[in-house]
Amino acid sequence: MENIKHLYNLQKIDSQIDTLKSIFVESEDKLSDRSELIDAKINIKTLKSELTTSEVNLRLNQNKIDDIEQRIAGLEKRLYNGELRNNREIELTQNEQAVLVKQKEEFEDLSLQLMGDIEIKDSNHKDLEGKMSDLLKDRVKLEASLKSQIEDLKKQITMLEQSRIKALQAISKHILVIYESLRKSKAGIAVAVVKGGICDACRISLSSSNSQRVAEANELPRCGSCQRILYAI
């Protein structure tokens, strides 16, 4: 009976260590995971690049408008200063002027579109920078919390590992071999509690003979279904 009890106590310690180590790994993963910040920086950089491109396109488009306006002004000057000698020249000049006016209108429409696009992108860029600032503040708090948690977990794991060393001293080596083998093959649970004649690990009812062996505990009782070591509380 004492062997089973010591094994059960060892199982509780090992289960606690497993749980804490799992939390430890998750905490370290969260501490090293800066993907949200990286994604935010990429989005800001991409939007800034798009905003710059739109601003450059707006300036280039305005230069084209300025050039067309100068050309229209030159044509108007020719039309009204008597430079043109016949109706054919006047007609050609007026046609050229009409084409330029049409081009100017198209470029002005494009400028309006670009200005609207710039306004939206600029607003989005400011929003992203604000979110980035909040993310950085939250990240500082999160990292401080995770670092504190990790240090606390290290202390708890160390204490449990010391308790485990003491618990091992009360268990014979050949039983430990069985225990460790079951731990590897049964997802870390080698010892199962018996409640109401049912193995608490696999939830299968024990046979009457198996239940008797668990109650007597003169030998190392095993579940007939999952083969775990059984312990009756």
Side-chain angles (χ1 to χ4, degrees):
M1 181 64 179
E2 284 301 310
N3 269 331
I4 308 299
K5 183 177 180 180
H6 292 318
L7 278 177
Y8 177 66
N9 288 335
L10 178 61
Q11 176 68 79
K12 288 196 296 183
I13 292 171
D14 281 338
S15 293
Q16 286 178 301
I17 291 174
D18 289 345
T19 298
L20 292 177
K21 283 185 175 180
S22 177
I23 297 172
F24 180 86
V25 171
E26 289 178 2
S27 298
E28 285 202 318
D29 287 344
K30 289 179 181 178
L31 187 60
S32 62
D33 182 11
R34 302 177 66 85
S35 59
E36 191 174 14
L37 285 175
I38 293 171
D39 288 344
K41 287 180 179 179
I42 291 173
N43 290 337
I44 289 174
K45 185 176 181 180
T46 299
L47 191 55
K48 181 63 177 177
S49 176
E50 292 175 355
L51 179 60
T52 300
T53 299
S54 294
E55 289 172 341
V56 169
N57 288 337
L58 179 61
R59 288 195 294 271
L60 291 174
N61 198 68
Q62 187 59 49
N63 289 339
K64 291 178 181 178
I65 293 174
D66 293 341
D67 179 63
I68 290 173
E69 286 179 342
Q70 290 179 6
R71 290 169 63 187
I72 290 174
L75 292 175
E76 288 181 347
K77 183 178 180 181
R78 292 184 64 194
L79 284 170
Y80 297 109
N81 66 3
E83 181 180 338
L84 302 178
R85 300 179 180 179
N86 55 58
N87 291 335
R88 179 59 179 165
E89 288 184 347
I90 293 174
E91 182 180 357
L92 289 174
T93 302
Q94 288 175 334
N95 289 340
E96 184 181 356
Q97 186 182 47
V99 171
L100 290 174
V101 169
K102 179 64 176 178
Q103 289 180 352
K104 178 186 174 185
E105 290 174 351
E106 291 173 352
F107 282 123
E108 286 175 340
D109 289 341
L110 180 57
S111 287
L112 289 174
Q113 293 177 15
L114 287 169
M115 284 188 286
D117 183 56
I118 289 170
E119 184 177 355
I120 293 172
K121 287 177 178 175
D122 184 56
S123 176
N124 291 339
H125 183 259
K126 289 177 180 177
D127 288 342
L128 283 178
E129 286 189 324
K131 290 178 181 178
M132 183 64 178
S133 177
D134 292 338
L135 278 176
L136 287 170
K137 292 176 183 177
D138 292 341
R139 182 67 193 182
V140 170
K141 293 179 182 178
L142 177 63
E143 288 188 2
S145 175
L146 287 171
K147 287 177 182 177
S148 175
Q149 184 182 46
I150 287 171
E151 289 304 312
D152 185 51
L153 287 168
K154 285 180 181 178
K155 292 177 183 178
Q156 292 184 60
I157 291 171
T158 298
M159 291 176 63
L160 284 169
E161 287 176 340
Q162 291 172 350
S163 297
R164 189 180 196 276
I165 292 172
K166 293 180 181 178
L168 290 174
Q169 297 172 359
I171 304 170
S172 60
K173 290 184 178 179
H174 77 278
I175 291 179
L176 276 176
V177 171
I178 298 172
Y179 171 82
E180 294 295 353
S181 177
L182 285 169
R183 282 258 300 160
K184 291 179 180 179
S185 62
K186 301 297 179 181
I189 305 299
V191 181
V193 174
V194 177
K195 295 181 180 178
I198 297 175
C199 172
D200 199 42
C202 66
R203 308 305 299 169
I204 301 297
S205 297
L206 306 179
S207 64
S208 57
S209 59
N210 209 357
S211 296
Q212 182 65 28
R213 285 199 299 273
V214 174
E216 294 174 354
N218 293 323
E219 56 180 287
L220 198 63
R222 306 279 289 274
C223 175
S225 176
C226 68
Q227 297 302 308
R228 289 181 173 89
I229 300 166
L230 298 174
Y231 177 65
I233 297 178

